[in-house]
Amino acid sequence: MKLERLNPHLGARISGLKLDQLTMADRGELRARLDEHQVLFFTGQSLDARAFHRFAAIVGELQAPDDAAPSLKTMEGDLKAIHYIDVEGTARGTYSDVWHSDVSFFEQPTLGAVLQPMVLPSLGGDTLWASMYAAYEALPDSLRRVADELSALHQVAYQGQAMQCVHPVVRVNPVTGRRGLYVNRLFTKGIVGMTPVESANLLELLLGHCTLPDFQLRFHWTPDIVAVWDNRFTMHYAVRDYSEPRRMMRVGLAGERPMGLADYAAAQRQTVAA
Ligand code: SIN
């Protein structure tokens, strides 16, 4: 197996590994690599839907389709956890081409996702990811201290109903303790406890910062790639610059309630006391 880092902040290309030969014993190693690199691109793969589903279930617990992406079509029967990402007929700016972290409006948003192309356009259709660890770490100390204390409302309107949840603006990785910003342009609607003007200004400052090219990776797809990303500490953006069909299959992995600094400190105290 060969692992090649793709930029200083996130992304690794892994070759020489057959994903259909992995077993549950490989979960720990896969998850450690995901914590380290945030987005993994496995090259030289040709998984059918069943093998793709099996691999995803090794990376993590599969999310029920309505928890992963309530608005997307799914496969049938025991492959129902697989969604199609198919933007045919959608206009620019109406789908995944806005910086986002999947379903952050849920109490337990997706931990990560596994994505594989089914049909690719001959040009374009790249996906970008931004490291929210790198974005947090690049903030000036004073702003980091402010962000550490904040919570934000994440919300979406779906079939006439609002789905919403409040989460910490700074999220802590429960395993490594590393901190990342947890706001996104698609679903984060406001900072709790501020006037609308204060909230809009501060949110814009944070979102503008998170989407600087400095923290981003842009990936050009080829048919042999299977990607896995950490949805907790990255945002992503699917570029809508093509006119030919583009179809991907994706599985969401079940996540936990985002942990803020206070939750993390409490969990650490409990571990020490136990
Ligand atoms: C998404 O999961 O938001 C879309 C990713 C992609 O189609 O590249």
Side-chain angles (χ1 to χ4, degrees), residues 65-78:
D66 281 351
D67 293 343
S71 61
L72 297 182
K73 276 183 287 173
T74 68
M75 288 194 182
E76 295 296 320
D78 59 348

Side-chain angles (χ1 to χ4, degrees), residues 45-71:
Q45 311 300 326
S46 56
L47 304 183
D48 61 15
R50 193 156 295 281
F52 175 75
H53 187 275
R54 183 181 169 279
F55 168 64
I58 291 174
V59 184
E61 300 307 310
L62 303 190
Q63 216 170 15
D66 281 351
D67 293 343
S71 61

Side-chain angles (χ1 to χ4, degrees), residues 85 96 100 115 127 229 236 238 246 248 250:
I85 310 263
S96 285
H100 65 286
L115 189 68
T127 308
W229 76 85
H236 56 284
R246 178 184 187 271
M248 317 289 270
R250 189 185 78 179

Side-chain angles (χ1 to χ4, degrees), residues 13-29:
R13 182 184 287 122
I14 298 178
S15 50
L17 200 61
K18 284 286 164 213
L19 299 185
D20 51 2
Q21 289 170 11
L22 299 186
T23 67
M24 283 305 279
D26 297 303
R27 178 181 283 187
E29 177 68 16

Side-chain angles (χ1 to χ4, degrees), residues 86-100:
D86 198 343
V87 299
E88 214 170 327
T90 60
R92 286 189 62 233
T94 62
Y95 209 65
S96 285
D97 52 338
V98 179
W99 280 105
H100 65 286

